Every structure is written in C-alpha cells, then in structure tokens.
Amino acid sequence: KTWKNETAGIKSEQNYSLVKAVNGNYIVSTGLGVFYRTVANDSVWTQTYPSTGYLSGLPVFEDKNGTVYTYGANLNPLNSTNSPKLVVKSTDNGKTWNPDTAGISTISMNSWYVDETGTQHASQAYTGPVQVFSKAPGGSWQTDNNGLATTTSEQITTCWGSDGNGSIYVGTYSYSGRSLWKKTGTGAWALDTIGLKSTQVYAIARESNGTILAATANGLYQNSGSGW
C-alpha cells in the first residue's frame, strides 16, 4: 500500500495520538489541539478542542461505549507537577466537548489514564510514595490507594494499562524492583512483578487474543497468568 498525506487543515508538525471513533470519525491530538474529521465527508481536519487558542500533546482515550476523553489546562497553574487538569469528554465522536470534573479539585494529576469502562485514573508524584485516584463514570474523584503500599523510592508512575477484563495496571519508577501493581475490580492493589527481574515497566498492551504484554527497560514480557 502507498502512504499519502492526510494533514489538510492541521497546521502542526506534531501528532501525538489517534483514535478512531465508533462512527468512523478520526480524532487526532496535535501540537495545536484535538482535531477530527469524518472519513466519508471531510477532506480537511477541523480543530474542536480547544475551540480557541492551542494546547499541545493532549492524551486522547476512548471507552467501549464510544465516549472520547481528553483534558485541557492546569486548574492550579502554580503547581505544574501535580495540578489537576480540565478533563473534558465527547459523546458525539469528537465534535463537541463538555467538562467532566466532579471532585477533581481534591486530587493530583501527574499522570492520567482512562480505561475501557470509562473509569479515569490519576496519580500524584514527587511528594513521597506514589498516590493514585480514580473516578467511575458519572461519579466523583476519590482516593484509590487500597493495597498500594508504595515506598519512598516509588515517587512517579511510568505507565497505566488494562487487560480489558477488569484489571488495571500501574507502573512505578522503583529502585527495588517494585515496578508494577495490579488491581482487579474493586479489589486491592497488589504487586505483579514475578518474572520481571526488577526492570522498569514503560507500557502495558493487550493483544487481540487477550495476551498482556509489558514493555520494559530490558525488553518485552508476556504475561503467562502466573507471572511474566
């Protein structure tokens, strides 16, 4: 197949993430903001967030119901490390965006992730052991530290991920091998490091057959069910 330029309307040289919405729309995060286009009818991309000005490198997630999420500016500009951000979501495939911020002023947001159920996850960094927070769809942000016995050597997250079956992973930067935590449903967090050989985990991915992969500082690991 031949590649062709599909950037008409995007006046940016940087593209950070791409989501295909349930209706076939494409949503792309750029150096200027979030753009969308319909494959059937649009020849150019249209910026939809922010509606004025620009924001660079925004993450974009889509849940299994087709809701798309991103965020905007820091809500506490004086704390660039942990400030919560203006989370917005789109229920019309990226055309319009509305705030989704219940309880957000009570948390920190050094990292942010949305899983396939629409549950949002965030973390606090560089203020002692990593702390995490979560927000169920339609709910409010709350502390989510049950079982997360992070130490003072774990002060920042390195990744988030999901197995698509109710389990969430969070990686932490650690000098002692405590580099990956897992939580299933409403259960407690627990270390999931058997076989990882004390390496840092930088990404978690799920293959179409359900196999979970971990990209680490020492290579790619596969989860066998009893370890990596």
Side-chain angles (χ1 to χ4, degrees), residues 67-81:
T67 300
V68 185
Y69 304 78
T70 188
Y71 61 54
N74 288 345
L75 297 177
N76 181 4
L78 298 180
N79 183 5
S80 60
T81 299

Side-chain angles (χ1 to χ4, degrees), residues 79-118:
N79 183 5
S80 60
T81 299
N82 283 308
S83 172
K85 296 173 175 61
L86 177 62
V87 175
V88 294
K89 65 181 182 181
S90 173
T91 56
D92 57 6
N93 307 296
K95 293 177 66 176
T96 61
W97 301 86
N98 295 292
D100 185 22
T101 57
I104 203 165
S105 63
T106 65
I107 72 163
S108 299
M109 194 180 286
N110 178 265
S111 67
W112 178 67
Y113 172 71
V114 185
D115 67 34
E116 71 279 356
T117 70

Side-chain angles (χ1 to χ4, degrees), residues 128-152:
V130 165
Q131 305 290 303
V132 297
F133 313 88
S134 64
K135 178 186 180 300
S140 184
W141 282 98
Q142 58 187 319
T143 303
D144 189 16
N145 290 322
N146 183 25
L148 191 71
T150 48
T151 66
T152 54

Side-chain angles (χ1 to χ4, degrees), residues 19-27 36-40 62 93:
V19 166
K20 185 177 183 180
V22 292
N23 74 336
N25 283 9
Y26 284 100
I27 303 160
Y36 98 108
R37 59 173 269 188
T38 62
V39 174
E62 182 181 30
N93 307 296

